[in-house]
Amino acid sequence: MRIALLGPPGAGKGTQAARICQTFHLIHFSSGDILRAEKMFGTSLGRRIRDFIDNGLLVPDDLMIQIMEQRVLAARDGFVLDGYPRTLPQSQALKRILQAADMPLDLVLNFVVDPKVLARRFEGRRICPVCLAVYHVDTMPSKIPGVCDHDSHELIIRQDDMPDVVRKRIETYQESMAPLFAYYAQQGDFKTIDASGSVDDVTRVVLDKIRRHFEAATAS
Ligand code: AMP
């Protein structure tokens, strides 16, 4: 299975991608996490992309395509893309790369969320700065408030979850994604998910859509 998740920052793509991967034994590629890890470790790539991330701007396409290309091609047993592609050139490059390797995308899920729900999700989001686990103070709290369940580090608010950066990220998302929706809608295998509900409710809908999609594909 090769699946891409589209949706604004805060739509829950990361959480749902992790659950999809656990259920169907796929590899999770979060472009945001990959970039943040490079930034945190101060690699040469990290230094090149730092300002884009900290200001909520998109990393240039040529760099992004290069970063994701080797990873997806190595995941021959299937993957879930979360946060990539984010522009039309990225989608076109992805299609070209995957087609050449005879491993096309099977399904694109587009997460849509009520803007008020989105705002609340950002206010409560916390992450572990070490293992990058994501929590929410109301909907997905850690067992001990403010402390990571996995490695006991103190949870923080991500620099790019600060209100001004969030606003910029959502604006950037809306501008860059419009042509992508048209592109994927034309190609079929594009399904919309209302991701405003609870994490578990959204997971049920997502897993059900995926199962139905693959059952129908196998039957035909
Ligand atoms: P995210 O956590 O997916 O919202 O990504 C955090 C930041 O990483 C974004 O605000 C961008 O600066 C950068 N980023 C993530 N994915 C992409 C992408 N596909 N193309 C360009 N920049 C990206």
Side-chain angles (χ1 to χ4, degrees):
M1 282 183 195
R2 289 174 293 272
I3 300 171
L5 307 184
L6 312 183
K13 299 186 299 297
T15 305
Q16 299 301 336
R19 292 180 172 198
I20 298 169
C21 288
Q22 207 174 15
T23 307
F24 299 109
H25 310 291
L26 306 171
I27 299 181
H28 178 186
F29 293 120
S30 156
S31 54
D33 284 352
I34 292 169
L35 297 172
R36 277 185 291 273
E38 295 283 346
K39 186 187 119 174
M40 190 170 76
F41 290 119
T43 62
S44 65
L45 174 63
R47 287 194 295 277
R48 285 171 76 188
I49 60 178
R50 186 180 48 205
D51 287 348
F52 294 103
I53 298 183
D54 289 349
N55 292 300
L57 299 171
L58 290 181
V59 169
D61 283 332
D62 52 345
L63 201 54
M64 216 48 237
I65 291 166
Q66 220 180 307
I67 293 168
M68 300 304 289
E69 178 175 359
Q70 322 138 7
R71 288 178 166 85
V72 292
L73 288 180
R76 292 215 68 96
D77 292 337
F79 55 77
V80 175
L81 289 174
D82 149 19
Y84 185 87
R86 202 102 138 207
T87 65
L88 196 53
Q90 291 178 13
S91 320
Q92 289 163 335
L94 180 67
K95 184 171 182 185
R96 221 174 22 249
I97 293 159
L98 292 179
Q99 263 183 351
D102 197 21
M103 42 192 284
L105 269 187
D106 296 301
L107 184 60
V108 178
L109 297 178
N110 181 30
F111 285 36
V112 292
V113 187
D114 181 317
K116 285 199 197 98
V117 174
L118 210 53
R120 179 63 199 122
R121 285 187 184 170
F122 276 110
E123 282 163 24
R125 183 145 85 169
R126 302 289 180 273
I127 64 151
C128 171
V130 177
C131 73
L132 303 180
V134 179
Y135 300 89
H136 190 283
V137 292
D138 300 329
T139 54
M140 242 190 346
S142 51
K143 290 187 189 112
I144 303 171
V147 176
C148 180
D149 292 347
H150 308 294
D151 54 27
S152 303
H153 279 90
E154 191 176 339
L155 302 182
I156 59 165
I157 300 178
R158 231 163 58 182
Q159 153 67 26
D160 62 345
D161 278 351
M162 297 296 178
D164 281 357
V165 183
V166 166
R167 215 168 301 123
K168 185 69 201 161
R169 284 168 68 199
I170 293 175
E171 258 173 48
T172 306
Y173 173 82
Q174 277 155 352
E175 280 163 20
S176 66
M177 293 301 281
L180 235 85
F181 298 144
Y183 177 75
Y184 281 120
Q186 244 178 25
Q187 305 188 25
D189 299 337
F190 177 74
K191 297 194 185 331
T192 296
I193 304 275
D194 180 355
S196 305
S198 74
V199 173
D200 288 344
D201 285 348
V202 176
T203 303
R204 263 191 293 280
V205 173
V206 167
L207 295 182
D208 186 55
K209 284 223 174 180
I210 294 174
R211 284 198 184 98
R212 281 168 193 261
H213 177 81
F214 284 95
E215 276 163 19
T218 319
S220 64

